[in-house]
Amino acid sequence: MKGGVGVGGGVPSCSLPMKRRWKGFVIAVLGLVILSMLVPLVFLLGLHNGLLSAGSGPEQQNAVPSGLGGHSQQEGSGARNQSEQGQSRHVDELIKRLGPALPKEFFRTSVKEVVKETVSRGSMQVLQSPGGRPGLDLAQKATTGGNNAKVNSVEEVGSGEVVNESELSCELRFGSYCLWHREHREDMKDSMVKKLKDRLFFARAYYPSIAKLPAHDKLSHEIRQNIQDFERVLSEATSDVDLPPEIEKKLQKMETIIASAKSIPVDCGNVDKKFSQLVDLTEDEANFHMKQSAFLYKLAVQTMPKSLHCLSMRLTVEYFRSPSPTADVSVAERFVNPTLHHYVVFSNNVLASSVVINSTAIHSKESRKLVFHVLTDQENYFAMRLWFAKNTFMEAAVQVLNIEDHKLKFLDKAMAHLSLPEEFRVSFQNGHKLSKAQHWTEYISLFSYSHYLLPEIFQTLDKVVVLDDDVVVQQDLSALWSINMEGKVNGAVELCAVRLGQLNSYLGNRSFRKGSCVWMSGLNLVDLVKWRELNLTGIFRGLVQENTAGRLFQAVASRASLLTFQDLIYALDHKWVLSGLGHDYGLDVQEIRKAAVLHYNGKMKPWLELGIPKYRRLWTSFLNQDLFLSECNIVIP
């Protein structure tokens, strides 16, 4: 017979059971493979939160988003503890699965440290966040006007406007995410959905008590069936338009069943306890989703957009394809000429540094005197060189330097790499009234450790102006070079809303004048001659060495910067710089027009999609039109 005899010449009927066993083994293996793929996916998407049934009966329930699904008949605090543990495992799982897409620096702290963990330091709480910009957050117990100010909520909405306490505590915990979330909040047409959720809560609260009464098995079964029906509907609906046409009948049926349940004498203590459990579970779910959203927001503002990464890579490839740009001897002489106006920009962002230079050159009365030095890292060096070789900025000269090429005496290997200005958030509350006058938040930017290499890199220069790469220049800056700094080293705009005395716990036990104002980076006139005489770089490195152990390097650098320039700050007039365009939605239009320099300090940088739209237009107007922009989907409005 064809194909009927095995190797041993047996009869055909003997091969059939063997084939069936083999097929069964293959099916079992395939089932295990599919299951191993589905289980991690369930945990990644958070679907496991809804696997607990509404009635804890034998029938399987559907999960409900927005915190309505997933409760059991267990009473007491056990349900809440299990919920919190499940949420923590979900966050940890999320971090692991996003791991390969995150930069190495992001793993210095977990997502819980980014949005929740506080480290107590005396009268101050420091919310630590990963390296880069922004560097850290300070939730400050401040002292204002001689009164102890307690920090538990902050918000700036309007003059004297009273705001919701939950919004204040939200900003204290999650920073500018809450400002962004409030501005982009959509009005949901979900009145019917909310009513359904409310009735579902009632049914869940009464069901455990009714289920214990044998005389009411029919009602118990109807409640459970309606709970399951509502869960299925709400699992697919977030607004009223998503609801099925027959929802009115379902709601009326649920109302009737709830009325029947209320008419039966039950232990009110059990119902109350169940309501408390449901409220706790819902609050936990809402808080968890808030933390998830804040985590994704922080990820978005701390990660370079794909389009900018594309631009840098395309320019780098083109640099090596094209002939090397020829060096102009006359331009090279301008780089070391101390009589010209030298501007220094620390940046790893091609477009940001280009906007700074272009806006400065356009508004300059004598662009021939302008010399820009862009200090960048190895990764972006060649992209920067090609970009500034292809584009002209009036008659200004542009030099691109790789900070990693300079053989300098670094305190630590980490200091050999580019660091951008450090930013931190300080939140204040003075009194108990929830108003703008009593609650405010400031974003402070300071020199990073790369700035303390200026005297060593520019040994032939006597004075430079340092511009952050998140500024836009709107007026001629030549008047800065005629300022008599009266023996001071750093000409900066001071932020007197924050005094050094208010940062006492952060600054440590070293002596300093508590009434001194905090100074800001963004626009800084630096006397390099005086800097060298006082050996400020050595002082900074000494302060860093004293406090590095057990602390984030960014926090140490910011603290050391404040102490290094103690009594060495020349206060520039506030008309020079207007700060807050990276976090404050309510800046005055006239103030924006009058300011010489606009500083986008904060997390909502203008090159990000999360940037504040009305301020982004001021930044994009100084972008150079280039073919590479369209190739990387960078659209100039």
Side-chain angles (χ1 to χ4, degrees), residues 131-170:
R133 185 202 326 242
L136 60 146
D137 296 331
L138 300 180
Q140 163 81 27
K141 286 189 177 180
T143 304
T144 310
N147 299 323
N148 290 331
K150 177 184 177 184
V151 171
N152 55 19
S153 55
V154 289
E155 185 59 64
E156 295 187 28
V157 179
S159 178
E161 181 179 352
V162 177
V163 295
N164 186 280
E165 185 175 4
S166 62
E167 293 185 359
L168 300 179
S169 60
C170 175

Side-chain angles (χ1 to χ4, degrees), residues 281-331:
L281 286 171
T282 305
E283 289 178 351
D284 290 342
E285 187 77 12
N287 185 53
F288 172 70
H289 286 299
M290 175 68 79
K291 289 194 291 185
Q292 274 189 321
S293 300
F295 165 69
L296 295 175
Y297 169 83
K298 286 178 178 287
L299 182 64
V301 299
Q302 292 173 354
T303 305
M304 178 177 288
K306 182 179 179 181
S307 57
L308 294 186
H309 182 71
C310 165
L311 178 62
S312 181
M313 295 299 100
R314 290 284 292 110
L315 289 171
T316 301
V317 171
E318 187 65 25
Y319 176 87
F320 288 103
R321 283 181 178 175
S322 307
S324 300
T326 57
D328 190 333
V329 177
S330 62
V331 174

Side-chain angles (χ1 to χ4, degrees), residues 199-450:
R199 297 304 178 266
L200 182 60
F201 262 63
F202 269 100
R204 284 174 168 172
Y206 276 95
Y207 174 75
S209 298
I210 300 296
K212 295 177 182 179
L213 304 176
H216 298 282
D217 285 343
K218 182 179 179 181
L219 179 60
S220 173
H221 181 73
E222 290 179 351
I223 294 176
R224 185 172 63 185
Q225 290 297 328
N226 277 269
I227 289 175
Q228 293 175 2
D229 196 17
F230 268 49
E231 285 181 337
R232 281 191 291 269
V233 170
L234 292 173
S235 67
E236 301 173 356
T238 56
S239 61
D240 292 349
V241 296
D242 301 326
L243 296 172
E246 67 278 5
I247 193 61
E248 290 287 351
K249 294 182 179 179
K250 293 180 182 292
L251 178 60
Q252 186 176 0
K253 183 178 179 181
M254 177 66 89
E255 294 276 12
T256 303
I257 292 175
I258 291 175
S260 299
K262 289 181 177 180
S263 65
I264 299 174
V266 295
D267 187 353
C268 294
N270 290 336
V271 176
D272 179 68
K273 191 180 296 183
K274 198 63 185 178
F275 267 124
S276 299
Q277 279 188 8
L278 292 172
V279 171
D280 288 344
L281 286 171
T282 305
E283 289 178 351
D284 290 342
E285 187 77 12
N287 185 53
F288 172 70
H289 286 299
M290 175 68 79
K291 289 194 291 185
Q292 274 189 321
S293 300
F295 165 69
L296 295 175
Y297 169 83
K298 286 178 178 287
L299 182 64
V301 299
Q302 292 173 354
T303 305
M304 178 177 288
K306 182 179 179 181
S307 57
L308 294 186
H309 182 71
C310 165
L311 178 62
S312 181
M313 295 299 100
R314 290 284 292 110
L315 289 171
T316 301
V317 171
E318 187 65 25
Y319 176 87
F320 288 103
R321 283 181 178 175
S322 307
S324 300
T326 57
D328 190 333
V329 177
S330 62
V331 174
E333 292 176 351
R334 295 170 65 184
F335 294 154
V336 295
N337 187 347
T339 62
L340 299 178
H341 297 171
H342 293 264
Y343 295 84
V344 179
V345 180
F346 293 86
S347 181
N348 59 3
N349 187 324
V350 175
L351 291 187
S353 55
S354 179
V355 167
V356 175
I357 294 173
N358 197 28
S359 62
T360 306
I362 287 176
H363 292 101
S364 175
K365 296 177 180 178
E366 297 179 277
S367 61
R368 177 70 183 174
K369 289 185 177 182
L370 303 185
V371 180
F372 293 93
H373 307 272
V374 181
L375 289 170
T376 189
D377 53 16
Q378 182 70 32
E379 181 181 347
N380 297 280
Y381 172 68
F382 299 105
M384 292 271 196
R385 284 200 61 183
L386 181 63
W387 178 267
F388 290 110
K390 285 169 53 67
N391 294 278
T392 57
F393 302 90
M394 307 299 285
E395 296 182 84
V398 181
Q399 179 187 29
V400 180
L401 298 173
N402 179 7
I403 197 170
E404 298 173 19
D405 283 345
H406 290 268
K407 306 300 181 183
L408 303 172
K409 299 177 182 179
F410 296 107
L411 171 66
D412 187 271
K413 289 184 179 179
M415 296 184 67
H417 302 285
L418 176 70
S419 63
L420 301 177
E422 304 292 349
E423 290 188 353
F424 58 91
R425 172 177 60 94
V426 186
S427 302
F428 298 90
Q429 175 189 338
N430 185 24
H432 302 286
K433 186 179 179 181
L434 300 179
S435 66
K436 177 182 177 181
Q438 300 297 329
H439 301 80
W440 71 96
T441 297
E442 299 290 353
Y443 284 79
I444 301 171
S445 59
L446 296 169
F447 283 178
S448 68
Y449 48 81
S450 289

Side-chain angles (χ1 to χ4, degrees), residues 422-485:
E422 304 292 349
E423 290 188 353
F424 58 91
R425 172 177 60 94
V426 186
S427 302
F428 298 90
Q429 175 189 338
N430 185 24
H432 302 286
K433 186 179 179 181
L434 300 179
S435 66
K436 177 182 177 181
Q438 300 297 329
H439 301 80
W440 71 96
T441 297
E442 299 290 353
Y443 284 79
I444 301 171
S445 59
L446 296 169
F447 283 178
S448 68
Y449 48 81
S450 289
H451 289 74
Y452 291 88
L453 305 175
L454 287 173
E456 300 180 49
I457 296 175
F458 303 105
Q459 298 181 11
T460 63
L461 302 183
D462 300 331
K463 186 180 291 187
V464 296
V465 170
V466 181
L467 296 171
D468 288 359
D469 68 349
D470 57 350
V471 304
V472 169
V473 178
Q474 297 190 124
Q475 297 178 18
D476 178 40
L477 301 182
S478 59
L480 287 171
W481 301 93
S482 60
I483 291 178
N484 179 9
M485 295 179 63

